[in-house]
Amino acid sequence: GGSGGGGDASGNGNGSAGAGLPALDFGCVKMHRLCTQLEQALRHKLVQKTSLFGGERKDYWDYLCAALKGDDGITSVARTSTCRSSAGRGRGLLLYGLTTQTLAERLQVAAMNAKATREFYQEGSIVRSEHLHARLVDALYHLNVVRFRADPYVHTLDQGWPVPPTMLDELSIGGGGDSSSTGTADGGG
């Protein structure tokens, strides 16, 4: 059974395209895969830089901070996130953008900051490629009809995206089933 939450018509202008779609929760496999792939796209040909103070490697979070000065999502994640690393805060911002349906617009506006984009990304990167970046942003705009449920502030995302329990089950299936190891096929009794 599904929990029929209230229709969240947040002015997308897409008519009834998303009517009746279930929400994707942070713990589901589809959302995990989406977040992982988004992160890979944003790290594609990212210039390998380190910060002056801790030697921490710069990440797409640092790019978005430079490209989107004063952005409310960045301010919110920086102020309230439990994450300390650039990678963790970037993941928090991705979740924030997905849940508030603002990720496509943020990435589109960030790319308009040509100076920051050139500084953080190599030529041939998805972010610097007009065609590839437009396809990524377009796909994200299409995802605005999906309701994403996640709290970007409760999860510590410094180590990576948490693996959903159902995905752990999928991974153990290929290993030969650890829980039923009492019955052996070689009849050693």
Side-chain angles (χ1 to χ4, degrees), residues 29-169:
V29 174
K30 288 179 182 176
M31 190 159 173
H32 178 271
R33 288 183 177 145
L34 171 66
C35 291
T36 302
Q37 289 174 349
L38 277 172
E39 185 168 76
Q40 287 173 350
L42 290 173
R43 284 186 172 159
H44 180 250
K45 294 199 174 193
L46 188 67
V47 173
Q48 301 296 312
K49 300 168 80 174
T50 54
S51 65
L52 295 173
F53 299 110
E56 181 185 3
R57 196 177 132 223
K58 297 273 187 175
D59 211 336
Y60 58 90
W61 163 261
D62 302 288
Y63 160 65
L64 293 170
C65 286
L68 301 170
K69 290 186 188 333
D71 179 78
D72 61 328
I74 289 173
T75 304
S76 180
V77 170
R79 189 178 325 135
T80 56
S81 176
T82 58
C83 301
R84 295 182 171 198
S85 69
S86 289
R89 286 183 172 168
R91 292 179 188 115
L93 186 64
L94 289 183
L95 286 180
Y96 179 90
L98 287 170
T99 58
T100 59
Q101 299 175 325
T102 57
L103 186 58
E105 183 179 356
R106 269 191 181 83
L107 294 181
Q108 190 172 29
V109 171
M112 289 181 210
N113 186 330
K115 182 179 185 276
T117 303
R118 277 192 314 271
E119 182 182 329
F120 280 86
Y121 287 94
Q122 299 171 27
E123 217 172 300
S125 66
I126 292 170
V127 174
R128 281 185 64 178
S129 164
E130 202 172 308
H131 173 71
L132 294 176
H133 191 264
R135 288 186 62 188
L136 173 64
V137 168
D138 187 54
L140 289 171
Y141 272 119
H142 280 90
L143 284 177
N144 281 349
V145 299
V146 178
R147 287 179 304 139
F148 292 96
R149 288 194 303 223
D151 186 344
Y153 310 116
V154 266
H155 305 286
T156 302
L157 301 168
D158 287 324
Q159 303 304 315
W161 295 104
V163 178
T166 53
M167 189 176 262
L168 290 174
D169 293 343

